[in-house]
Amino acid sequence: MAVAEAQLYAKVSNKPRGRSTSALLEPLLAKGFPAHVAQKALVATGQKTIEDAVKWLHSHCNDPSLDDPIPQEYALYLCPRGRLHSCLQDFWRESKRQCGKNRAHEVFPHVTLCDFFTCEDQKVELLYDILKQVGDSFSQSFPESISLTLHASPSYLGFFIDDSQANVLKDIAVAFSSEASALADCHVKPSLKQFHLTLAHRFYPHHQKTLERLAKCINPEEPCQWVAALYSRDMRFVHYQRLRALFQYKPQNIDELMINAGDLIYVDPRQQSDASEGWVIGTSHRTGCRGFLPENYTEKAHESDTWVKHREYIFDTASRSFTKTQKEPNVKPNGEAHNLSMSRSVTNVPSLQSAALRRGVLVMRHGERVDQVFGKSWLQQCLTADGKYYRADLNFPSSLPRQKDSMKQFECDPPLSHCGIFQSRLIGEALLDQEVTVSYVYSSPALCCVQTAQHVLQGLKLNQKVRIRVEPGLFEWTKWEASRAIPKFMTVAELVGASYDIDTSYRGNFPLSSLVPSESYEDYVSRSSVVIKQIISACPSKGRGVILVVGHGSSLAPLTRALTGLPSRHSRDFAQMVQKIPSLGMCFCEEQKEENKWQMVNPPVKTLTHGANAAFNWRSTIMED
C-alpha cells in the first residue's frame, strides 16, 4: 500500500458507521449485498436508481478496495445553464483548438461555492436535504441576473461577479457549510474570496491576446439559469492523471487491465517506472481493478469526467423548484447540433434504383479479421514446429497468401477470417440483387481490406472486370497501431501474384512513405478529407454507378462527413463511435443534381448481423465433472 493511501485509511478507518435511511438501500440488502458495500455503490452512482447501483456492484466485483471505508469528496458548484452555457462551451472548444488545453478545460464552467470536503457514505442523503433547505431559504433573494465582468492577467482569464450579488452567493455557501457541519459532521470550507467563473488558467503568455479576443465574443448578458450542483470524486485519485480508452483491450497476461472503449483510467505518474515503454499502470474507474494497459489505446481525459453529479437546486425566478434530474430537458448535449444536421441530411431510400443516373460512394468497413476472433497471438496458434501454416480452427483461412518476407508480417497485417470472407461475398451478392453497379473500387493497403474488396467483387460477379485500386491514404488512424509503426503491407506485385484483381496502373494519392506513425487526430481527418476528394475527382462525373471504398471502422465518419460538408466529429466522441461500427458496416453518399454536392442516404443493402460463437471443447464441457 502506498504511503499516501495508508494515510487516507488511517483518517477514516476508525470513524463510526451510522444507519442510512435511503429507500434505495433496502432492495440492495435484500439482494444480499453487505450494507457498507451497498451504501458505497449508491454513493458512487449518485443515489439515482437501484439498477445503477447493482450495475456498479457487478462491475466492481473484483475491486480490491470494495470493502475499504474511504468516503467520497464533495463540492458545491454554481453552474450556468441556457444560452450563456452554450456560449461558454463554444469558447471552451475554440480556445482549446486555437491555443491548446489549459487548466480550465479540466472542469466545466462553474462558480465554486464550497471547496471539496469529505462526507461519510451513510450521511450523503443529509447533504441532499441541506441543499434543498438552503436553496429554498435563498430562492427569493437570489439575483434575477448575475453581472459578469471580464478580467484578464498573464495567467488567468475569467468573469468576476459583482460584489452585491457575490454577497448573496457567499451567504448561500456559508449556510450550506454550517448546516453540513452541524447535521452531517462534515468540515466544509465555503468560498469567501472574489467569486469568479474561470475561462482560462495556466496558459502560455503568448496565448493571452487570442484568449481575450475569444472571450470578448461571449455576451455575459445572455439568458441564463443558475443551478447549485453537488458533485463528488474519488479522493484517492485526486492527483492522478486521467485517460480515456479509445477502444477495447483484452488482457494477454494476468497483470494486464481489461478495458472497454470509453473507460476512464486513473494513472499515477510516480508509479510508472515498472512499466515497459508504450505501457502504463492504471486503475479502472469502471471496475476498480489495476493493471498494465497499452498507452496508445488511450487519450487524455478531463478531471471532471470521473466526477459524479448527485443533486442540484435550480434558482428559477419563475418556479423556484428543486429537481433531482441530471440535465434540463431543453439543454442539448455537446455535438447535438451536428447530429441534427445529420438527421436533416439523411433520407430514407429503399433501394438504389430511385437514384439512377446519379453517382454514389459506398464506404465500407472490412470484414471480420482473424485477430478480432483469436487475439493478437492468432498466428502462433497456426504455425507448426517448423514454421508452416495450418488451419487450427475452421474460422482460420484455408491458406495465407505468399509474400517474400516472413509470415510474421501477418501479425501486423492480419487477413480476414473464413467468416469474414463469407461475409464479404454475401454483401456482394446482396448488392447484385439490388442491381447496384460498381464502377470503381478503392481499398486501404491493409490485407483485410483488399480481401474484402476482392470477395465483394466476386459476389457482384465483377471479378476480372473491375480492378482494385490500392490507396495508402485510406489506411486507418495510425495512432491505433499497437506497434507504433506502419505495418509492412503486401506489395502490389505480391497481391497480383496471390490472384487478387489489382489495378497495377494506379498510383496512390498518398504514397506509403507519407503515412506517419501515431499521427494526430486532426492529421488523420485532414488526410481522409483529401483522399476522398481526390478519389471523386479521379472518377468521371459523367460516369454513372457506385464508387466502392473499402477501409476501416475509423474510415466511415471522416470520409463521408468530408464529402457531405459536415464538420468532423470531436476526437472525444470518435473512438466510441467507431466501436459501434460492425464488420462490413456501410455508409452511402449520393451525388445531388448539382455536381459535387453530396448527401447521405440509406445504404442499398442491410448490415449483416450475427452472434458470437465461442470455441468448444467437448472433453472439458461434456465429459469432465
Side-chain angles (χ1 to χ4, degrees):
M1 182 186 300
V3 175
E5 291 182 359
Q7 293 173 345
L8 284 175
Y9 279 71
K11 290 180 181 180
V12 300
S13 58
N14 295 321
K15 285 196 174 186
R17 296 187 179 277
R19 181 175 178 84
S20 172
T21 59
S22 172
L24 299 175
L25 183 60
E26 292 302 325
L28 294 177
L29 298 179
K31 292 178 181 291
F33 295 109
H36 67 287
V37 173
Q39 192 73 259
K40 190 171 190 175
L42 288 172
V43 168
T45 56
Q47 295 207 21
K48 296 176 183 66
T49 66
I50 297 171
E51 290 75 15
D52 287 343
V54 170
K55 183 178 179 181
W56 186 93
L57 287 165
H58 288 161
S59 297
H60 285 258
C61 61
N62 295 318
D63 184 350
S65 66
L66 189 60
D67 289 317
D68 294 346
I70 296 181
Q72 296 279 300
E73 283 188 326
Y74 298 82
L76 185 63
Y77 286 165
L78 187 68
C79 305
R81 295 280 177 83
R83 287 168 59 180
L84 177 60
H85 177 264
S86 298
C87 292
L88 292 169
Q89 290 291 71
D90 290 341
F91 171 85
W92 246 245
R93 285 190 291 270
E94 192 61 22
S95 63
K96 187 175 181 180
R97 188 184 70 84
Q98 294 194 29
C99 303
K101 187 177 178 181
N102 63 68
R103 189 68 181 86
H105 290 117
E106 291 290 339
V107 186
F108 42 81
H110 70 279
V111 177
T112 302
L113 295 179
C114 295
D115 295 326
F116 276 100
F117 60 93
T118 59
C119 180
E120 296 173 60
D121 292 346
Q122 64 270 24
K123 296 181 180 179
V124 173
E125 272 196 294
L126 295 173
L127 297 181
Y128 305 163
D129 296 335
I130 293 167
L131 177 58
K132 183 182 186 308
Q133 293 168 9
V134 171
D136 287 345
S137 62
F138 284 91
S139 62
Q140 299 301 320
S141 58
F142 191 86
E144 291 190 9
S145 63
I146 292 181
S147 299
L148 302 174
T149 303
L150 187 63
H151 172 79
S153 71
S155 62
Y156 176 85
L157 181 70
F159 287 119
F160 281 4
I161 296 177
D162 179 80
D163 285 344
S164 61
Q165 297 168 340
N167 288 334
V168 177
L169 303 186
K170 290 179 183 179
D171 291 342
I172 293 173
V174 169
F176 180 86
S177 172
S178 300
E179 292 296 315
S181 300
L183 300 178
D185 194 25
C186 301
H187 179 66
V188 183
K189 182 181 179 181
S191 180
L192 299 177
K193 297 181 180 179
Q194 174 72 57
F195 275 90
H196 57 274
L197 192 156
T198 299
L199 297 176
H201 183 39
R202 295 183 186 175
F203 49 83
Y204 289 111
H206 62 275
H207 286 150
Q208 182 178 351
K209 289 185 178 180
T210 302
L211 292 169
E212 284 188 48
R213 174 176 54 80
L214 294 173
K216 289 176 181 177
C217 296
I218 304 172
N219 179 10
E221 297 181 0
E222 288 280 10
C224 178
Q225 186 179 57
W226 292 93
V227 177
L230 189 67
Y231 288 88
S232 73
R233 68 182 182 187
D234 193 320
M235 63 188 296
R236 296 173 299 169
F237 305 113
V238 170
H239 301 295
Y240 282 47
Q241 294 177 350
R242 294 153 190 84
L243 302 177
R244 178 182 284 101
L246 293 172
F247 54 101
Q248 186 183 59
Y249 177 75
K250 294 182 179 180
Q252 307 294 314
N253 298 291
I254 194 171
D255 59 350
E256 295 176 2
L257 184 65
M258 170 70 184
I259 56 175
N260 293 329
D263 279 1
L264 293 161
I265 314 296
Y266 297 107
V267 173
D268 187 349
R270 301 167 298 180
Q271 298 178 358
Q272 302 307 310
S273 57
D274 295 334
S276 304
E277 183 179 358
W279 292 76
V280 294
I281 306 172
T283 301
S284 170
H285 173 71
R286 178 175 60 86
T287 66
C289 296
R290 187 170 182 266
F292 292 90
L293 67 148
E295 186 177 13
N296 64 340
Y297 277 45
T298 66
E299 64 178 0
K300 290 184 178 180
H302 296 151
E303 177 183 341
S304 59
D305 291 344
T306 57
W307 294 0
V308 176
K309 182 191 282 186
H310 287 257
R311 298 294 184 269
E312 60 184 25
Y313 188 98
I314 300 176
F315 290 100
D316 190 337
T317 55
S319 60
R320 309 289 186 181
S321 61
F322 177 78
T323 181
K324 293 184 179 182
T325 57
Q326 281 286 320
K327 295 180 178 180
E328 292 177 73
N330 61 338
V331 175
K332 307 301 181 186
N334 292 343
E336 184 159 330
H338 293 172
N339 294 334
L340 290 174
S341 299
M342 175 70 81
S343 66
R344 294 189 192 102
S345 65
V346 176
T347 59
N348 293 321
V349 180
S351 69
L352 205 64
Q353 285 89 331
S354 61
L357 304 179
R358 294 183 184 178
R359 284 195 300 174
V361 175
L362 183 62
V363 183
M364 178 185 300
R365 187 190 180 190
H366 58 75
E368 180 185 85
R369 291 196 317 256
V370 290
D371 61 317
Q372 293 174 316
V373 184
F374 300 102
K376 293 182 179 180
S377 61
W378 69 272
L379 189 58
Q380 300 172 19
Q381 304 171 41
C382 298
L383 294 180
T384 61
D386 57 354
K388 294 182 178 179
Y389 175 82
Y390 76 99
R391 196 177 186 183
D393 184 283
L394 287 180
N395 201 20
F396 282 109
S398 56
S399 63
L400 294 178
R402 292 185 179 181
Q403 56 175 328
K404 293 180 181 179
D405 294 322
S406 165
M407 283 195 294
K408 288 287 185 182
Q409 299 294 339
F410 288 121
E411 288 185 341
C412 296
D413 187 24
L416 293 180
S417 67
H418 200 71
C419 285
I421 294 172
F422 166 75
Q423 291 172 334
S424 303
R425 190 174 296 119
L426 187 63
I427 289 293
E429 293 171 355
L431 291 170
L432 181 63
D433 290 340
Q434 290 295 318
E435 301 180 8
V436 175
T437 302
V438 172
S439 302
Y440 302 93
V441 178
Y442 289 81
S443 171
S444 160
L447 177 58
C448 61
C449 296
V450 175
Q451 290 180 319
T452 298
Q454 175 78 13
H455 292 290
V456 169
L457 285 174
Q458 288 180 0
L460 278 162
K461 298 182 179 180
L462 289 175
N463 46 313
Q464 301 297 322
K465 297 178 182 178
V466 177
R467 299 199 176 268
I468 303 166
R469 297 178 174 180
V470 179
E471 173 53 64
L474 291 173
F475 187 58
E476 69 177 332
W477 187 10
T478 60
K479 180 179 178 179
W480 289 355
E481 281 299 301
S483 63
R484 290 195 172 186
I486 305 302
K488 189 172 182 180
F489 303 113
M490 291 183 66
T491 65
V492 167
E494 288 173 332
L495 291 170
V496 172
S499 300
Y500 294 110
D501 299 324
I502 306 298
D503 184 347
T504 56
S505 65
Y506 178 72
R507 298 294 178 265
N509 296 294
F510 283 79
L512 279 172
S513 58
S514 69
L515 295 179
V516 179
S518 300
E519 67 187 328
S520 69
Y521 176 69
E522 291 74 18
D523 287 343
Y524 172 63
V525 170
S526 176
R527 165 163 66 90
S528 300
S529 176
V530 170
V531 74
I532 191 62
K533 292 175 182 177
Q534 290 178 338
I535 286 174
I536 296 302
S537 63
C539 299
S541 58
K542 293 182 179 180
R544 307 308 174 190
V546 170
I547 304 168
L548 174 61
V549 178
V550 182
H552 306 262
S554 61
S555 304
L556 270 65
L559 293 177
T560 57
R561 293 178 77 91
L563 192 58
T564 55
L566 292 172
S568 62
R569 297 185 68 106
H570 194 284
S571 59
R572 178 183 57 205
D573 308 317
F574 182 68
Q576 295 183 6
M577 178 273 298
V578 170
Q579 294 305 306
K580 298 177 182 178
I581 300 174
S583 298
L584 293 163
M586 292 173 281
C587 287
F588 187 71
C589 296
E590 174 188 87
E591 190 175 31
Q592 300 303 288
K593 293 181 179 179
E594 185 180 354
E595 189 175 320
N596 288 325
K597 295 293 183 180
W598 297 82
Q599 181 183 32
M600 192 89 80
V601 298
N602 283 340
V605 297
K606 299 293 185 182
T607 303
L608 175 66
T609 305
H610 57 83
N613 193 54
F616 174 62
N617 186 313
W618 64 269
R619 186 182 301 278
S620 60
T621 305
I622 306 300
M623 299 299 293
E624 296 179 3
D625 294 333

